[in-house]
Amino acid sequence: MKKIILSISILLSGIAFSQEDQTVCKITTIEQLRCLNKYVGDLQTSFNGKDHVDSVLILLNEYRNEYNLKPVVLSESLCDVAAIQAQYCADNLICTHENTNIGSESLTDRAIQFKEYNVIGEIALQTSFMSNFATNETCCVHPIEMFKYSPGHANIMKNSKNKRCGISLIQSQKDTKKYFVVIVFSNK
């Protein structure tokens, strides 16, 4: 047990020292580690991705605004499309754009189920509640920040043709420390 605590402390200290522009809490005592574990544990047990969709949308549109792009509007049917893939990723503990479920194999297949015929992009991320803490970000900020640093994802978010989007955040029941974020875009 002492080795595990020491390993976690060293890992978190390394993360703290590797962050140049962000303030990260350095764990130096067992009590701080217990508080961290309680905080992360509380997030894991009370997480409801639907509660965070609006915040992700605001952050997405703030990012688009930096490039003088019009905001995208949240679409319930596109949220349903995104939820299919986020749930698939959460169920299989894999971040992918592919899906082996019949009728949901591709983004187009998933979109057609909800009469969405103009989807033009999908971005997906697997992350964890500990990653949020390590980067001093919330469960809404962290995905957008990660997407920004991936050229492919950033380009999809900055596509001027995007008019609507659907957002889904789903926690894995196989590994409740992880959650998956999928955003789907449409040009109509």
Side-chain angles (χ1 to χ4, degrees):
M1 183 62 150
K2 288 181 184 179
K3 288 182 182 180
I4 292 172
I5 292 172
L6 178 62
S7 297
I8 292 171
S9 295
I10 290 170
L11 171 69
L12 291 174
S13 296
I15 290 169
F17 287 118
S18 69
Q19 303 294 319
E20 294 177 17
D21 298 321
Q22 299 180 17
T23 305
V24 178
C25 179
K26 182 178 175 188
I27 305 297
T28 58
T29 68
I30 299 254
E31 188 54 38
Q32 288 173 328
L33 182 61
R34 285 188 185 121
C35 287
L36 168 65
N37 287 337
K38 181 179 180 338
Y39 170 75
V40 171
D42 288 347
L43 279 176
Q44 287 173 215
T45 57
S46 65
F47 184 76
N48 179 351
K50 289 182 180 182
D51 293 342
H52 304 285
V53 168
D54 290 338
S55 297
V56 172
L57 177 65
I58 289 167
L59 295 167
L60 170 61
N61 281 328
E62 283 179 1
Y63 180 61
R64 288 177 58 81
N65 187 51
E66 291 174 25
Y67 294 91
N68 297 314
L69 298 168
K70 292 181 180 178
V72 290
V73 176
L74 191 67
S75 161
E76 187 176 329
S77 58
L78 288 174
C79 286
D80 292 337
V81 174
I84 289 174
Q85 193 60 20
Q87 189 65 59
Y88 179 83
C89 292
D91 289 346
N92 294 285
L93 289 174
I94 184 170
C95 188
T96 182
H97 297 286
E98 297 175 0
N99 189 319
T100 59
N101 294 331
I102 295 173
S104 296
E105 291 91 349
S106 71
L107 173 58
T108 302
D109 295 331
R110 295 187 287 278
I112 288 171
Q113 292 178 39
F114 298 96
K115 298 184 180 4
E116 288 288 349
Y117 304 105
N118 297 69
V119 291
I120 58 173
E122 174 183 74
I123 57 178
L125 174 76
Q126 171 187 304
T127 191
S128 71
F129 298 104
M130 188 60 79
S131 294
N132 298 340
F133 174 80
T135 58
N136 198 28
E137 297 168 337
T138 68
C139 59
C140 305
V141 171
H142 185 72
I144 295 296
E145 289 301 313
M146 297 309 298
F147 288 140
K148 285 181 189 180
Y149 295 108
S150 164
H153 292 113
N155 286 337
I156 292 171
M157 290 193 303
K158 294 185 295 187
N159 186 331
S160 63
K161 294 179 182 176
N162 292 339
K163 303 274 189 259
R164 297 180 304 127
C165 75
I167 302 168
S168 181
L169 295 87
I170 303 219
Q171 181 180 23
S172 173
Q173 294 308 301
K174 286 185 176 179
D175 183 349
T176 58
K177 297 173 191 152
K178 296 179 180 175
Y179 66 101
F180 294 80
V181 181
V182 175
I183 305 176
V184 175
F185 296 91
S186 173
N187 63 1
K188 298 275 184 195

